[in-house]
Amino acid sequence: MERLVGSPRPASSASKIQRRETPRERIPNPREEPKTSSRAVSPVQSLAATDLGSELELITSALEPTMEAVNVDIEDGEGWDTDLEDVKNLIEKAKPKKHVPKKHKDKKGKKENYPKRKILTEEEKARLVYIRACIKFSITPSSLFLRGLKKGHVNLQNQGLGPLGTQAVALSLVIDRTVTDVVIAGNSIGQTGIRYLTDMLLVNDNINHIDVSDNNLQSHGAQALSNMLLHNDSILSLKASGNQFNRNDALLFAQAIQFDRFSLRVLDLSHNNLETEGGQHLGPAIAANDTIEILDISWNHLAYDGIKAVAEGLKENTSIKTLNVSWNGIGDEGAVCLVQAATINETLEVLQMDANRIGPIGLANLLKQTASNKALLELKMSKNPITTLGPESALHVINAHPEMGLQLLEIQDSWLTSEACRLVYEIQELKPKFKVVHGGFTNAHDLIKASIKKREENCMNDPFLFLINYVNDNRLRWMDLFNRLDTDKNFSISFEEFRNGMKANSIPISDKDVGILMERLDEDHDGTIDFGELLEGQKKYLKRFEKVMGVTPTLSTSTPSTRQNSRPSSRQQSRPSSRQKSRPSSRQQSRPTSRTDRSAALASQQKSKSDMESYTRTIQSAPGLSVIS
């Protein structure tokens, strides 16, 4: 049917257009629960917070409906990148989910609705708080932090957190009870970030180690940290180097160090600007403290007056075992003051004085001061202008005082002369554990000799030699050793079996050496060792030992004692004795067993030949005698 242009549309088509433009109203179902709008503004977005406590209250109040009903499952991403591979999926998992209640029947047959609830762990709650805090602050969540919550060690070094990222981390750690180590070094958290961290540490007493180095904390950060140390006695290690602390900030730390509840074992205040006055503030505090074991105050421009105050405090201290005062320009006099204080202290074991303008005469003088010190074990003096005369004079003093307890002298940028090498070998004859860490040798012959000696030491200290000694001492075969280590009898030895077998059989091999042996013996890289790989490792080690040492270690060729006793006596007596005596003694003695025995046998043969020739000439020259050929 044709319609003229400009004529009105039929009523039927108009009603269709009207129905399309106005959607049909939905009739409500009385059995269906009302839906809540997903665009509703959350309490976190509607309110503003001024400090850490109010922020945590806001976020936890926003999570109250879902804190016990939501199971947060956040998978870790692969690799070590700081951002999550799929942040959208992670945020979707962290959002509250709607739980449909199940209908149950009671005894009367009526249906009742019971909500499905699942209690979250502390770790899951901490994750959920962190994700919600990241959503509120519009920052990307860190996969490193989420993995750290699982492991109990949070390492966020150089991740660019800033104040907001630190605030989110602090909010999560307030309710966490599994993390013990927190490293937030190099994140530029500033004064705002350190305030959130210290407020968290006032509540969380499970964290023992905190590292806030290189964060530009300045005086405000020093005040916050010192106040935290006065109220938190669970912190055992604090590293706050590179934060531009000044001489007045040293007074704040000194007050905290002298506090009765102070519990730090490790304190690192290096790479700051404490200067001479800062050292004078720390001196009396060191004398009053009895908990710090490792103290690092290097790179602080203490100079002679500052280090003198530290030395006076060290005389009365009874706890410091490692002291680092490098790069402070203390000179020869300051070094002697420290060594004298260490002699009186009798607890200091490691003293590091790198780059302190100490000359060769100063090195010899301070070693003379330590002649009666048996507690000091390591002296580190690298990057000092001691030239080649310094090591010689120092080694002469050490050689003249064998009662000295020093075992390590570190002079990494100094070279050893032939005389210094000779003194080192003489000292090592009396004290085998004595070592000198140096920069090289002035004589090539000394270099070759030292390299050969180092190879011999590495060969003798090889963990595989302990296995050989165990087999020889217990008169075992290598199959017997393999059966003892293979506890599950699957013809292979895993790392756990190897480690437990070393402890069960009292073989002195550490876990680190067990890992080295596993890596060396596991040729097919399947994580286990079979019997063939064990025998192949034995052959390689014996070949290396003979090449380096010139001899072959004695191996057990006998069978176990149980098998010896099980043999009948007739079989042992049935062997003819003529077989043993048929070989001449000269032939038995002429067979060399090693390279040194071969050379000795050749020398003895040449000597006997020359003696025979001289004897023949003597007989021929004598009148009336003749030689029967």
Side-chain angles (χ1 to χ4, degrees), residues 336-386:
V336 172
C337 289
L338 277 177
V339 172
Q340 291 176 351
T343 304
I344 300 174
N345 176 273
E346 295 184 354
T347 57
L348 188 66
E349 297 178 355
V350 180
L351 179 59
Q352 187 170 355
M353 296 185 292
D354 299 339
N356 271 308
R357 305 173 186 173
I358 301 172
I361 300 176
L363 178 60
N365 292 335
L366 66 90
L367 282 174
K368 291 178 182 178
Q369 298 293 332
T370 61
S372 60
N373 191 342
K374 297 182 179 180
L376 187 62
L377 302 179
E378 299 181 8
L379 183 62
K380 301 180 180 181
M381 305 286 296
S382 302
K383 302 185 185 302
N384 282 296
I386 59 178

Side-chain angles (χ1 to χ4, degrees), residues 292-295 317 319-323 347-351:
I292 296 179
E293 298 179 356
I294 300 176
L295 178 61
N317 185 274
S319 61
I320 295 180
K321 297 181 179 179
T322 301
L323 178 62
T347 57
L348 188 66
E349 297 178 355
V350 180
L351 179 59

Side-chain angles (χ1 to χ4, degrees), residues 211-455:
D211 187 355
V212 291
S213 303
D214 302 322
N215 276 303
N216 193 24
L217 303 182
Q218 299 182 4
S219 298
H220 184 84
Q223 184 177 0
L225 289 173
S226 60
N227 182 50
M228 180 269 298
L229 293 175
L230 293 175
H231 296 85
N232 190 335
D233 56 356
S234 63
I235 302 294
L236 302 179
S237 174
L238 174 62
K239 296 182 179 181
S241 64
N243 283 302
Q244 300 184 11
F245 297 147
N246 56 31
R247 65 190 74 176
N248 298 324
D249 301 332
L251 181 60
L252 297 175
F253 286 106
Q255 294 175 355
I257 291 173
Q258 300 179 68
F259 190 60
D260 295 336
R261 294 182 56 187
F262 189 80
S263 59
L264 275 185
R265 300 291 185 270
V266 180
L267 178 60
D268 184 3
L269 296 176
S270 61
H271 292 80
N272 288 298
N273 299 318
L274 303 184
E275 299 181 349
T276 301
E277 295 183 5
Q280 294 174 351
H281 291 319
L282 292 176
I286 293 173
N289 181 268
D290 58 352
T291 61
I292 296 179
E293 298 179 356
I294 300 176
L295 178 61
D296 189 354
I297 50 175
S298 58
W299 292 84
N300 273 296
H301 313 289
L302 299 181
Y304 171 72
D305 293 335
I307 211 64
K308 184 178 180 181
V310 173
E312 292 296 327
L314 187 64
K315 292 180 181 179
E316 302 180 12
N317 185 274
T318 59
S319 61
I320 295 180
K321 297 181 179 179
T322 301
L323 178 62
N324 188 356
V325 292
S326 304
W327 297 91
N328 278 304
I330 62 178
D332 295 344
E333 297 179 355
V336 172
C337 289
L338 277 177
V339 172
Q340 291 176 351
T343 304
I344 300 174
N345 176 273
E346 295 184 354
T347 57
L348 188 66
E349 297 178 355
V350 180
L351 179 59
Q352 187 170 355
M353 296 185 292
D354 299 339
N356 271 308
R357 305 173 186 173
I358 301 172
I361 300 176
L363 178 60
N365 292 335
L366 66 90
L367 282 174
K368 291 178 182 178
Q369 298 293 332
T370 61
S372 60
N373 191 342
K374 297 182 179 180
L376 187 62
L377 302 179
E378 299 181 8
L379 183 62
K380 301 180 180 181
M381 305 286 296
S382 302
K383 302 185 185 302
N384 282 296
I386 59 178
T387 67
T388 56
L389 300 176
E392 286 188 15
S393 58
L395 292 171
H396 274 293
V397 174
I398 297 173
N399 192 24
H401 299 85
E403 71 277 5
M404 186 184 303
L406 193 66
Q407 296 182 359
L408 175 65
L409 178 62
E410 184 176 309
I411 41 177
Q412 291 185 358
D413 56 342
S414 299
W415 289 38
L416 295 184
T417 60
S418 299
E419 178 66 16
C421 294
R422 184 187 65 81
L423 292 172
V424 170
Y425 297 142
E426 290 184 3
I427 296 172
Q428 288 178 345
E429 291 179 358
L430 299 176
K431 298 190 294 184
K433 295 183 179 180
F434 180 77
K435 293 182 180 180
V436 178
V437 181
H438 53 86
F441 300 92
T442 58
N443 192 348
H445 178 71
D446 298 330
L447 175 61
I448 296 173
K449 188 176 180 180
S451 62
I452 294 174
K453 186 176 181 181
K454 186 176 181 180
R455 290 178 62 187

Side-chain angles (χ1 to χ4, degrees), residues 12-47:
S12 59
S13 61
S15 61
K16 292 181 181 179
I17 296 175
Q18 185 68 21
R19 283 197 294 269
R20 282 198 297 266
E21 291 180 356
T22 59
R24 183 177 57 185
E25 296 182 359
R26 186 173 181 269
I27 301 174
N29 188 0
R31 296 183 180 180
E32 188 175 358
E33 295 181 359
K35 293 184 178 180
T36 57
S37 175
S38 59
R39 298 184 180 182
V41 181
S42 64
V44 177
Q45 298 176 352
S46 61
L47 299 178

Side-chain angles (χ1 to χ4, degrees), residues 29 64 118 155 187-188 237 264 275 289 341 347 371-372 383 493-494 524 551 583:
N29 188 0
E64 281 181 0
K118 182 179 179 181
N155 189 354
N187 282 284
S188 301
S237 174
L264 275 185
E275 299 181 349
N289 181 268
T347 57
S372 60
K383 302 185 185 302
I493 303 172
S494 62
D524 54 0
V551 295
R583 181 177 296 176

Side-chain angles (χ1 to χ4, degrees), residues 101-118:
K102 292 184 178 180
K103 297 182 180 181
H104 304 276
K105 293 184 179 180
D106 57 358
K107 296 181 179 180
K108 298 181 180 180
K110 296 181 180 180
K111 295 183 179 180
E112 297 182 358
N113 295 333
Y114 295 99
K116 180 181 178 182
R117 313 188 81 182
K118 182 179 179 181

